C-alpha cells in the first residue's frame, strides 16, 4: 500500500538542502515568539511571526522552544548496546558498525547533531573497531557529524612500542582525535606525553580519559596541555569530587589556566574509569574551566541503563550540581561544540542551522519534560521524536475494567521518522493533538 506518512519538511535527507525552511511561531530562549528562516545550511533571518514571508517549506512550531542543537563529546560507540548477554561478545566489524550506527541515531533523535565517538585501539582490539565506527560515520553523513577518537592502550613499558605503533596506524587510518587512558598505563605522565606528541605532529586534538584523583599527576597533565595549546579535553574527572575542596579548587585553577576542557559524565561512568562520581561542576565553572557534559557508556556492561541523552545530562547538572538551566544546557551545546572544534550556534542570522526544537515554554521546563523533539542539521529536519499522552475524561466511562485507550493510563508513543507525531501537551481542548502541520506553502495553501 502507498506510504501515507506526511513528507519530511525540506524533503529527503538524501537530496540537496532546501532553498528555504521556515520555522514558524517558535519560542526563543529569551521568551520571544518568532519565525526563523533557514536558507541552505544557515539561519537567514529571525523575525516577528508572519514577517518573513511564506515561500519555501513551513513548519508550524507553536508550543516549541528553539535551541542550539546539542553535541555529544564523549560517546563509547564501539561498546554501545552490548549490555544484553546475546550482544556481550558481538564485536565483529559488522556488529560494531551496526551498533555504532544504531547508537548514533538514538543520540541524534535526542538532539545531538554532532558526536565524538571514543573507540579503543589496543593490541587486543586491533583496528577493526576503528574501521567499523569510521564506516558508520560515513554512512551517517547528511544526518549528523561523527568524529572518531582513537583511544590507545598502554604506551609505555613492555607493551608501549606496539601500542604507540598501533595508535600511529589509527591516525593514518582516519582517526580525527588522538586519545589515551593514562590511568591504565604504568607511567601515566609518559602516556600523556606520547599522546600529546603524536597529536602535535599530526595537527590533531587530544582527548584523555582520566579520573583526575591524583593532584600531582593532574598538575602535570595541565602543564603539558598548556604547552600543547588549544584542543585538549580531559574526562570524566570524577576523582576531583573525592579530593579535599581546597585541593580540587587548586587543580581547577591549573586546568583553567591551561585552557583544558573538562568533559564530565553526569549520567554515569564509562569503561576505563575506576570511579563513578561526577566531576564537581560548580567548582570547575567557578574556576573558569570550560565544562562540557557527555553521555559516556550507552547500554553496555559498564552502564546497562545508559540513555545517551544530552538533555538528561543537562537536567542532572541542574538538578544535582547547582547549575542553573542555562549553564547546564551550555555544557551540552556551546561548550561541547567548542570542545569538538565546531563553530558556535546561536538562533540568529548567519549562524549554522544546527537546531533543536523541544516542546516547552522555557528551558527549565524543556529539561524537565523533553518528550517531543525536532532536530535540524545543516538546514534540514533530520529527526523527529514525540510522545502521546491520553487521559480519561473524568466525567465519562466506568471506574474500573475499561481498557479503552482513554482508560486513564498514560500512553506515550515514541518514534523516529514515523510520520505524524502527536503530543497532548499542545494547546487546545482535552484530547490528543497532532504535530504542528507541515508542508509547502504557496497559492494552494498549506499541505
Amino acid at each position: 500500500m502507498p506510504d501515507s506518512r506526511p513528507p519530511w519538511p525540506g524533503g529527503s535527507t538524501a537530496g540537496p538542502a532546501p532553498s528555504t525552511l521556515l520555522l514558524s511561531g517558535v519560542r526563543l530562549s529569551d521568551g520571544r515568539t518568532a519565525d526563523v528562516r533557514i536558507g541552505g545550511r544557515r539561519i537567514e533571518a529571525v523575525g516577528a511571526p508572519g514577517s518573513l514571508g511564506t515561500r519555501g517549506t513551513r513548519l508550524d512550531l507553536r508550543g516549541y522552544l528553539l535551541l542550539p542543537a546539542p553535541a555529544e563529546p564523549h560517546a563509547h560507540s564501539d561498546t554501545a548496546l552490548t549490555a544484553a548477554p546475546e550482544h556481550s561478545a558481538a564485536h565483529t566489524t559488522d556488529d560494531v558498525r551496526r551498533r555504532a550506527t544504531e547508537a548514533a541515531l538514538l543520540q541524534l533523535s535526542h538532539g545531538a547533531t554532532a558526536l565524538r565517538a571514543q573507540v579503543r585501539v589496543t593490541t587486543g582490539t586491533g583496528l577493526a573497531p576503528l574501521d567499523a565506527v569510521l564506516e558508520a560515520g560515513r554512512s551517517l553523513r547528511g544526518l549528523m557529524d561523527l568524529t572518531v577518537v582513537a583511544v590507545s592502550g598502554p604506551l609505555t613499558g613492555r607493551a608501549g612500542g606496539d601500542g604507540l605503533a598501533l595508535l600511529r596506524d589509527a591516525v593514518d587510518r582516519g582517526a580525527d582525535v588522538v586519545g589515551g587512558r593514562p590511568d591504565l598505563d604504568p607511567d601515566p605522565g609518559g602516556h600523556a606525553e606520547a599522546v600529546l606528541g603524536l597529536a602535535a605532529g599530526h595537527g590533531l586534538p587530544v582527548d584523555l580519559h582520566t579520573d583526575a584523583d591524583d593532584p600531582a599527576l593532574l598538575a602535570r597533565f595541565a602543564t603539558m596541555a598548556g604547552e600543547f595549546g588549544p584542543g585538549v579535553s580531559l574526562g570524566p574527572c570524577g576523582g576531583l569530587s573525592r579530593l579535599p575542596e581546597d585541593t580540587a579548587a587548586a587543580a581547577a585553577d591549573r586546568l583553567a589556566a591551561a585552557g583544558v576542557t573538562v568533559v564530565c559524565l553526569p549520567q554515569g561512568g564509562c569503561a576505563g574509569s575506576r570511579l563513578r562520581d561526577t566531576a564537581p561542576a560548580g567548582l570547575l565553572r567557578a574556576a573558569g574551566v570550560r565544562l562540557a557534559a557527555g553521555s559516556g557508556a550507552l547500554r553496555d556492561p559498564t552502564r546497562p541503563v545508559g540513555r545517551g541523552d544530552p538533555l538528561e545530562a543537562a537536567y542532572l547538572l541542574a538538578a544535582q550540581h547547582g547549575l542553573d538551566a542555562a549553564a547546564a544546557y551550555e555544557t551540552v551545546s556551546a561548550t561541547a561544540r567548542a570542545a569538538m572544534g565546531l563553530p558556535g550556534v546561536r538562533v540568529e542570522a548567519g549562524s549554522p542551522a544546527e537546531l533543536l526544537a523541544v516542546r516547552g515554554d522555557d528551558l527549565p521546563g524543556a529539561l524537565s519534560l523533553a518528550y517531543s523533539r525536532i532536530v535540524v542539521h545543516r538546514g534540514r529536519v533530520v529527526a523527529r521524536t514525540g510522545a502521546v499522552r491520553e487521559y480519561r475524561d473524568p466525567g465519562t466511562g466506568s471506574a474500573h475494567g475499561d481498557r479503552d485507550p482513554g482508560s486513564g493510563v498514560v500512553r506515550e508513543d515514541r518514534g523516529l521518522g514515523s510520520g505524524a507525531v502527536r503530543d497532548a501537551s499542545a494547546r487546545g481542548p482535552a484530547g490528543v493533538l497532532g504535530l504542528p502541520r507541515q508542508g509547502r506553502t504557496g497559492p494552494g495553501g498549506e499541505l
Side-chain angles (χ1 to χ4, degrees), residues 55-402:
R55 65 185 175 87
T57 302
R58 177 176 176 271
L59 182 61
D60 186 342
L61 289 184
R62 286 173 293 177
Y64 281 77
L65 178 70
L66 189 65
L67 300 166
E72 172 53 69
H74 193 113
H76 283 265
S77 299
D78 57 338
T79 58
L81 309 178
T82 55
E86 61 269 26
H87 298 305
S88 61
H91 294 289
T92 66
T93 300
D94 285 346
D95 179 74
V96 174
R97 177 188 50 76
R98 178 190 58 77
R99 288 188 290 96
T101 302
E102 182 180 349
L105 288 173
L106 174 64
Q107 292 176 287
L108 173 66
S109 73
H110 291 320
T113 62
L115 183 147
R116 179 178 276 189
Q118 314 279 332
V119 181
R120 293 170 300 169
V121 175
T122 68
T123 53
T125 64
L127 294 176
L130 180 81
D131 291 337
V133 178
L134 287 169
E135 185 179 346
R138 288 190 290 270
S139 73
L140 291 166
R141 285 176 183 166
L143 292 175
M144 70 187 313
D145 295 320
L146 188 150
T147 55
V148 177
V149 185
V151 184
S152 66
L155 299 178
T156 69
R158 295 179 63 182
D162 291 341
L164 189 56
L166 192 62
L167 189 59
R168 290 195 187 101
D169 289 343
V171 170
D172 292 339
R173 204 79 142 227
D176 306 284
V177 184
V178 183
R181 294 183 292 177
D183 295 4
L184 303 183
D185 195 292
D187 178 3
H191 182 104
E193 187 174 354
V195 169
L196 289 161
L198 179 60
H202 288 80
L204 296 177
V206 168
D207 196 322
L208 293 176
H209 283 59
T210 179
D211 288 320
D213 56 351
D214 182 337
L217 185 59
L218 191 60
R220 186 175 174 187
F221 290 165
T223 299
M224 288 189 285
E227 295 171 353
F228 180 87
V232 178
S233 297
L234 297 179
C237 295
L240 278 172
S241 65
R242 300 171 66 91
L243 298 176
E245 185 172 352
D246 58 342
T247 304
D253 289 339
R254 293 189 186 96
L255 293 173
V260 170
T261 298
V262 170
V263 181
C264 67
L265 303 178
Q267 299 169 87
C270 61
S273 295
R274 298 190 302 272
L275 308 175
R276 294 293 177 263
D277 303 283
T278 300
L283 182 148
L284 290 167
R285 283 183 59 87
V289 176
R290 289 195 291 267
L291 181 70
S295 298
L298 175 57
R299 297 188 212 161
D300 67 10
T302 300
R303 189 151 55 89
V305 297
R307 279 186 190 162
D309 185 352
L311 269 63
E312 182 185 47
Y315 162 80
L316 289 170
L317 288 176
Q320 299 181 6
H321 296 273
L323 273 62
D324 62 39
Y329 189 73
E330 185 178 88
T331 66
V332 300
S333 56
T335 314
R337 289 183 63 86
M340 297 165 66
L342 298 169
V345 175
R346 300 174 63 89
V347 185
E348 61 183 32
S351 176
E354 303 288 324
L355 303 167
L356 170 65
V358 58
R359 177 70 71 177
D361 293 328
D362 55 23
L363 188 53
L367 295 183
S368 297
L369 295 170
Y371 292 125
S372 295
R373 309 184 195 187
I374 299 173
V375 186
V376 176
H377 172 57
R378 298 185 181 182
R380 292 182 297 178
V381 174
V382 293
R384 298 184 297 191
T385 303
V388 173
R389 288 183 167 190
E390 294 181 344
Y391 300 93
R392 181 200 300 279
D393 184 336
T396 63
S398 60
H400 302 287
D402 184 357

Side-chain angles (χ1 to χ4, degrees), residues 433-445:
L433 304 182
L435 179 75
R437 292 176 298 168
Q438 54 201 20
R440 187 169 300 279
T441 58

Side-chain angles (χ1 to χ4, degrees), residues 406-441:
S407 61
V409 177
V410 176
R411 178 168 66 88
E412 296 181 359
D413 292 339
R414 297 166 184 260
L416 174 65
S418 58
V421 181
R422 298 175 294 167
D423 190 329
S425 62
R427 301 166 313 284
V432 182
L433 304 182
L435 179 75
R437 292 176 298 168
Q438 54 201 20
R440 187 169 300 279
T441 58

